Amino acid sequence: MPHPIYIINGPNLNLLGQRQPEIYGAQTLSDIEVMCVAHAKTLGYDIVFSQSNIEGEIVNALQDGGANGAAIIINPAAYTHTSVALYDAIKSIDVPVIEVHLSQPHAREDFRHTSYVSAAAKATISGMGARSYILGLDAAAHVLSNS
Ligand code: DQA
C-alpha cells in the first residue's frame, strides 16, 4: 500500500449538516469522510482524515501529511482567506497539496476572493459541494500517477 492521502479540514467544518446547509449542503463531515474512504479505496489509497478549529493544529496536520502522506487534500475553511501560516506550511512540504471548497468562494463575499492557500497549492477545486472532495482525490491520484 502506498502512503495514505491526508484530508485536512479547517474551522467550523465539524458543523457541516447543520451549518448554512443552503451553502454547504446537508451532508455531515462524517458523511464526507465515508465517501472519501470509499473513493480513495478505488484509487488504491488509504485516508487519514482530520478536522480542527485551531490554526496551529492544521499546520501540524500539514507537516504530518508532508512527512507521512502521499498527498494532501485541504479544505482550510476560513483560514483560506487569512493564514500566512498555512501558506508557509504548504510551501515547506514536498507532497502535492490540493485545495478544496464546498462552495465557490469567488461567487461570495469579497473577503473570500483571496486565498493564501491557492498561492501555494497544486490545484483548487471549489463549488461542487461534497463532490469537491472526490474530485480532489481524483486530482491527487492523477498528480501522483504522473510523479
Ligand atoms: C469553505 C469556504 C470558506 O470561505 C468558508 O470560510 C468555509 C468553507 C467551503 O468549503 O466552501 O468555512 O472553505
Side-chain angles (χ1 to χ4, degrees), residues 25 30 61 93 97 118:
S30 295
I93 58 180
V97 175
S118 293

Side-chain angles (χ1 to χ4, degrees), residues 12-50:
N12 300 304
L13 295 174
N14 55 311
L15 298 180
L16 286 181
Q18 64 184 75
R19 174 192 181 202
Q20 296 184 281
E22 68 286 3
I23 294 175
Y24 298 117
Q27 282 169 298
T28 66
L29 195 60
S30 295
D31 294 335
I32 292 174
E33 179 176 4
V34 168
M35 276 173 49
C36 286
V37 167
H39 190 68
K41 202 169 173 190
T42 70
L43 300 170
Y45 290 95
D46 285 332
I47 292 296
V48 176
F49 198 90
S50 67

